[in-house]
Amino acid sequence: MKIGVYPGSFDPTTNGHMDIIDRACKLVDILIVGVLNNPDKTPYLNLDKRVKLLKELTKDLNNVMIEPFSGLLVDFVASKNANIIIRGFRAISDFEYELQLAQTNFMLNDTIETIFLVSRNEYVYISSSMVKQLVEFGGDISGMVPKVTMELMDRENKIRKQEG
Ligand code: PNS
């Protein structure tokens, strides 16, 4: 049984992420989307919201599971009996970070391979950080994220503005 893990912060999930999930789940028997819980950072969407959003977005994909994780990625991957990490690759600007991540993970556990799926052209410019900036300043994110993400970001933005 081939089990792959697609890890990330998913703050929030974009069309680019969804494309990778759609394609990655066809390459493995089970795809676990690992949602990072990093206690040192305050995300835009809390862990629970990020996990729930991904569950909603992948509800029709039978072999996709959504699970939060903290600590080292390789430990999470091994604990799931998985041996493949899947990452999306958009542009050369991703290269240095992704190489460092993949090599560190390989050094920590050389039974786990990292596989990269290149981004489709239409998603190359999309990032969660850009989406957050646009939301903050009232920009249109409809071409960058699924409708459910857009609605959630809209609600979250209103709550934040009310709270000041
Ligand atoms: O979506 P992101 O933020 O680019 O995802 C980064 C992620 C979650 C893959 C990376 O930060 C990660 O694996 N964090 C867990 C800690 C870890 O194992 N780091 C790599 C070795 S230092």
Side-chain angles (χ1 to χ4, degrees):
M1 165 104 66
K2 237 185 290 172
I3 306 175
V5 172
Y6 176 39
S9 305
F10 303 102
D11 185 34
T13 303
T14 65
N15 287 342
H17 291 131
M18 287 312 296
D19 181 48
I20 299 294
I21 293 173
D22 279 337
R23 289 158 58 201
C25 74
K26 296 189 182 98
L27 302 175
V28 291
D29 298 304
I30 295 175
L31 180 70
I32 299 169
V33 180
V35 186
L36 180 68
N37 178 24
N38 183 350
D40 296 335
K41 276 194 184 170
T42 309
Y44 195 84
L45 299 174
N46 68 31
L47 181 67
D48 190 48
K49 285 179 182 162
R50 283 179 284 142
V51 168
K52 278 196 183 129
L53 174 62
L54 270 159
K55 283 191 175 165
E56 171 66 21
L57 292 170
T58 58
K59 63 177 192 288
D60 296 328
L61 300 171
N62 293 334
N63 66 336
V64 176
M65 293 159 65
I66 312 300
E67 294 201 16
F69 79 98
S70 47
L72 283 182
L73 173 60
V74 286
D75 292 344
F76 173 65
V77 173
S79 76
K80 295 290 153 190
N81 293 319
N83 59 0
I84 304 169
I85 294 170
I86 294 166
R87 290 284 289 170
F89 190 87
R90 288 166 300 188
I92 201 69
S93 48
D94 284 339
F95 183 76
E96 217 165 313
Y97 173 63
E98 292 301 333
L99 185 71
Q100 208 175 15
L101 198 65
Q103 285 180 329
T104 306
N105 287 332
F106 196 66
M107 183 269 295
L108 291 169
N109 186 333
D110 67 5
T111 67
I112 299 173
E113 293 287 352
T114 299
I115 292 177
F116 293 99
L117 295 187
V118 292
S119 178
R120 284 182 202 273
N121 273 346
E122 59 261 47
Y123 302 134
V124 160
Y125 70 100
I126 302 175
S127 71
S128 295
S129 331
M130 202 58 84
V131 167
K132 283 179 277 196
Q133 269 187 42
L134 287 175
V135 167
E136 186 86 29
F137 298 116
D140 179 13
I141 58 165
S142 57
M144 301 171 100
V145 297
K147 193 161 172 269
V148 188
T149 300
M150 206 168 92
E151 288 163 357
L152 176 61
M153 292 301 275
D154 205 37
R155 281 200 301 277
E156 193 69 23
N157 190 40
K158 284 195 180 113
I159 294 170
R160 281 171 174 246
K161 294 242 152 85
Q162 271 166 15
E163 285 170 353

